[in-house]
Amino acid sequence: MATEYRNFINGKLVPARSGKTYENRNPADTADLIGVFSASDAADVADAVAAAKAAYPAWKAIPAPARGEIMRKATEKLIARKDEFAKVMTREMGKVLKETRGDVQEAIDTGLYAAGERRRIWGTVAPSELPNKMAYVTRQPMGVWGMICPWNFPMAIPSWKLFPALTCGNTAVIKPATLTPASTANFVQCLAEAGVPAGVVNVVYGAGGTVGEALLNHPDVAGVSFTGSSEVGRRVAEVCGRSLKRCSLELGGKNAQIVLDDADLELALEGALWGAFGTTGQRCTATSRLIAQAGVYDQLLKMVVDRAAKLRVGNGLDESIEMGPCVSDAQRQTVHSYVEIGKQEGARLACGGGPLKGGAHGKGFFYQPTVFGNVTPQMRIAREEIFGPVLSVIKVKDFDEAVRVLNGTPYGLSSSIYTRNVNLAMKAVELLEAGITYVNAPTIGAECHLPFGGVKDTGNGHREGGWTAYDIFSEPKTVYIDYSGALQKAQIDNVQD
Ligand code: NAD
């Protein structure tokens, strides 16, 4: 019998009102059924939002340090069950155990950060322009937050949203991606066991078009935190715009690593391999383009191809495996269609380029690590997010062209430059249009205590991660206290002749 995962509403596990369910299977071995989940709709979202709304006044009234203490206790539970949760995540998402342990660890680090930040939900004190008057800004929670997550960081991303939002005093309804719901279930179970009261956090499983849309459109949802594709992000922004809901968008990327002629090539190689094929290329910060200066292009391309072709691809539960499957058959088909587009556009397929099907690979959605050479910046494989193990290598003549090419996509999440020239490294930091720039390090590897997000089509200016997440999930309130005993008028011309 498959484990049944029900929605978590008002502290109780409840089936979808429709009674419908869907299966969650292992993308490395489709015979492995992780569980059967509620296939919810707007009625279930309405129940969850009502529970979150009812729980809000009492939760808000608890001092932030006490709320944060519950976050700390939940984090201890994550620490105790890290290996178990990582295994479930590898089974539902496919990435290798080292990476899923890293994903749970990121949730742990985010929880520990919240446990500190609870004592630091600071405001500002400013001098008043009038005598005997005090002015300060405090921060308040906002109400019910809707949270919509992608599948590639199944526990880290829910933790980036829930830990700061709850610590700030909000309540929440979270919708995990349909492909990776079990990791959210595990995370929220830790929150509940640690003492988060009934209704403060609610989970509704199901599709974006039903559960996601219902969250966006619900009048009692004060804000929406969305991580996913730019296409769906636009839709989220449109719907939230109509009702003036705050929305925080963390969207897609087409990240690039520049390698200049003077770079340490071995270091650049390691960075490119990790950036391009880690998480099977399914990271928003994945290195999708390698921009190599003409003097090192041929050599670097050869080095990358030699190593990419040898990567061990398979079931991530095997510790010797370096790259897992694509998350789904549909994702693998998308990857393959881009490979076909690349070939038609005239790029040179240097290695890979097809699904892996024989033997143990036949049970899942595996794809060869793929490298294209002779890619030009106008090609679709150089401009559009592929979200798979495909690296496009582009030759440029100098630093200026490298910067132009890197900036030449609609996205702006992560960027990297390998060089020993400190002046060019600093210039790159200034010129690269991205929310994150790495020097002599790959495009992946964000740390949870720093702002995370991007420019252009990658987002709308918010940064989840670090202290900036606490700005997203709170409202400033400006307070004036007049202790003069008289009517003092501000904002009129008080200047005496
Ligand atoms: P997606 O946009 O297809 O789905 C994301 C979530 O939105 C899912 O839960 C989905 O069910 C839901 N959704 C779909 N349609 C919806 C609608 N109409 N209304 C409301 N919700 C809806 O993305 P994905 O395939 O799950 O994840 C991959 C994408 O996420 C990539 O583009 C990747 O770059 C991006 N991503 C970005 C970041 C970041 O922080 N910038 C992090 C991880 C992933």
Side-chain angles (χ1 to χ4, degrees), residues 149 151-152 175 213 226-229 250-252 284 385 452:
C149 303
W151 43 261
N152 62 342
K175 184 200 103 54
E213 285 283 338
F226 173 84
T227 304
S229 62
E250 302 280 10
L251 310 176
C284 50
E385 186 179 45
F452 180 88

Side-chain angles (χ1 to χ4, degrees), residues 184-207:
T184 299
N186 287 338
F187 178 54
V188 169
Q189 190 190 4
C190 290
L191 289 170
E193 286 175 0
V196 170
V200 169
V201 57
N202 304 274
V203 187
V204 181
Y205 304 109

Side-chain angles (χ1 to χ4, degrees), residues 53-116:
K53 188 179 176 186
Y56 176 58
W59 180 243
K60 176 187 174 183
I62 296 173
R67 288 192 299 255
E69 176 59 11
I70 302 177
M71 303 304 128
R72 191 189 62 71
K73 286 187 181 146
T75 306
E76 279 172 7
K77 293 182 184 295
L78 291 173
I79 293 169
R81 298 177 71 183
K82 178 174 166 180
D83 283 348
E84 175 200 343
F85 289 167
K87 279 198 187 98
V88 173
M89 196 189 295
T90 292
R91 282 175 62 212
E92 72 170 352
M93 191 272 165
K95 61 187 175 185
V96 299
L97 276 176
K98 260 200 187 87
E99 292 190 36
T100 51
R101 284 196 288 261
D103 196 309
V104 180
Q105 185 59 44
E106 195 159 323
I108 291 168
D109 293 338
T110 304
L112 294 176
Y113 185 83

Side-chain angles (χ1 to χ4, degrees), residues 261 292-298 395-398:
D261 282 349
Q293 200 173 351
V296 292
Y297 170 86
D298 288 332
K395 190 197 291 192
V396 292
K397 66 175 184 308
D398 56 19

Side-chain angles (χ1 to χ4, degrees), residues 253-257 272 275-277 281 283-291 370 372 375 380-394 414 443:
K254 187 68 185 176
N255 316 289
Q257 174 182 319
F277 303 115
R283 288 195 186 213
C284 50
T285 51
T287 308
S288 181
R289 298 175 293 154
L290 182 61
I291 302 172
T370 299
F372 276 109
V375 177
R380 285 182 63 193
I381 58 167
R383 296 179 51 75
E384 296 174 19
E385 186 179 45
I386 299 174
F387 229 55
V390 181
L391 179 66
S392 297
V393 190
I394 304 171
S414 187
T443 57

